[in-house]
Amino acid sequence: MTARRVVATGTFDILHPGHLFYLEESKKLGDELFVIVARDANVKHKPHPIIPEDQRLSLVAALKPVDHAMLGDQTDMFLPIERIRPDIITIGFNQMFDEKTLSRQLEERGLTPRIVRIGKFPGDYLCSSRLVVQRIITKRGHDHHHVSENEREP
Amino acid sequence: MTARRVVATGTFDILHPGHLFYLEESKKLGDELFVIVARDANVKHKPHPIIPEDQRLSLVAALKPVDHAMLGDQTDMFLPIERIRPDIITIGFNQMFDEKTLSRQLEERGLTPRIVRIGKFPGDYLCSSRLVVQRIITKRGHDHHHVSENEREP
């Protein structure tokens, strides 16, 4: 039997336990997890990422459930999926794909993976890059002149 | 021969490739990497963490080089180190420990690990939680009323 390939996708702008849950649940569905990280230029449906694409990629690649991580294609989002030929594609609970449309688009390319929507992370963590951004602005926005490049932290 | 235990420590507020580099280099020095994640209440030398301690812990624990991750002790920072009895303790390039003082404090507890300072990450990534915060405030601070809890992203 060949290894079952799973593809997960996302921006992964500021990593949080919701991302981790999505990737762990995705990995459980197969043997090898491939993660396609959205290109900076292709994130148009929400604010531009804070963290540059290479950096988002390197952190995703360092997570235990992830076997292979790569940046998406800037002009054809289906190209990496054609190369991987996954058995399963997972969608995050809040990703705005319509499963039927996606399925049809993939079929036009000769791909018939099972599409699985992963549920919401059950914890009460700060599970949204956007909410992290909001918290930063609320907590630190008033005194950002105190932020200095000389006071780095590991 | 017993496994060489390495201890790394930090706040790991918003994960970036500098954290990852520190942990990967730490792991290379031994067989098992233990990471002690600073408690919210104990972070006093810089702004309070954005991300709650449980969440910082769960992300650090999910990184490939990390074998064991735990929260620090709220009253005695040396307690987890006494339990682990590491062969090596690593310090990040910008962590404000004085190696000699630390070494003496550990010796008073009967611990004589080698203390190794890990160099600076060589890339030009956004390698400081503080700089990430600064970028967020610069890029998004002016329109944070657009940030909504309903528009989550994975």
Side-chain angles (χ1 to χ4, degrees), chain A residues 5-144:
Chain A
R5 297 180 158 201
V6 183
V7 160
T9 64
T11 308
F12 306 99
D13 191 19
I14 294 173
L15 280 183
H16 55 66
H19 291 129
L20 191 57
F21 177 76
Y22 168 54
L23 296 175
E24 284 169 345
E25 293 298 303
S26 297
K27 168 76 177 186
K28 285 180 194 166
L29 298 172
D31 304 299
E32 264 189 303
L33 177 60
F34 295 72
V35 184
I36 303 172
V37 175
R39 304 299 295 253
D40 287 341
N42 292 2
V43 179
K44 288 170 183 155
H45 60 287
K46 54 187 180 185
H48 210 68
I50 296 292
I51 310 292
E53 60 189 17
D54 287 350
Q55 184 159 335
R56 293 186 281 111
L57 174 65
S58 73
L59 285 173
V60 167
L63 294 172
K64 287 173 180 169
V66 179
D67 297 295
H68 310 278
M70 66 210 72
L71 290 174
D73 189 83
Q74 279 188 311
T75 53
D76 178 2
M77 67 172 270
F78 292 106
L79 202 63
I81 298 171
E82 275 186 346
R83 286 185 187 134
I84 297 163
R85 304 198 71 83
D87 302 282
I88 293 164
I89 294 181
T90 60
I91 301 176
F93 84 96
N94 55 2
Q95 278 180 315
M96 291 175 293
F97 291 111
D98 174 67
E99 281 99 319
K100 279 184 191 161
T101 309
L102 180 60
S103 195
R104 199 179 56 240
Q105 289 169 321
L106 288 164
E107 215 173 318
E108 285 167 10
R109 307 254 184 151
L111 299 164
T112 55
R114 186 154 70 92
I115 296 174
V116 178
R117 193 172 280 274
I118 302 294
K120 191 169 179 232
F121 177 65
D124 59 352
Y125 287 107
L126 195 62
C127 282
S128 152
S129 302
R130 204 169 289 222
L131 290 179
V132 172
V133 165
Q134 187 172 33
R135 174 180 286 213
I136 288 170
I137 291 165
T138 306
K139 289 183 78 168
R140 304 266 182 89
H142 60 288
D143 62 356
H144 68 279

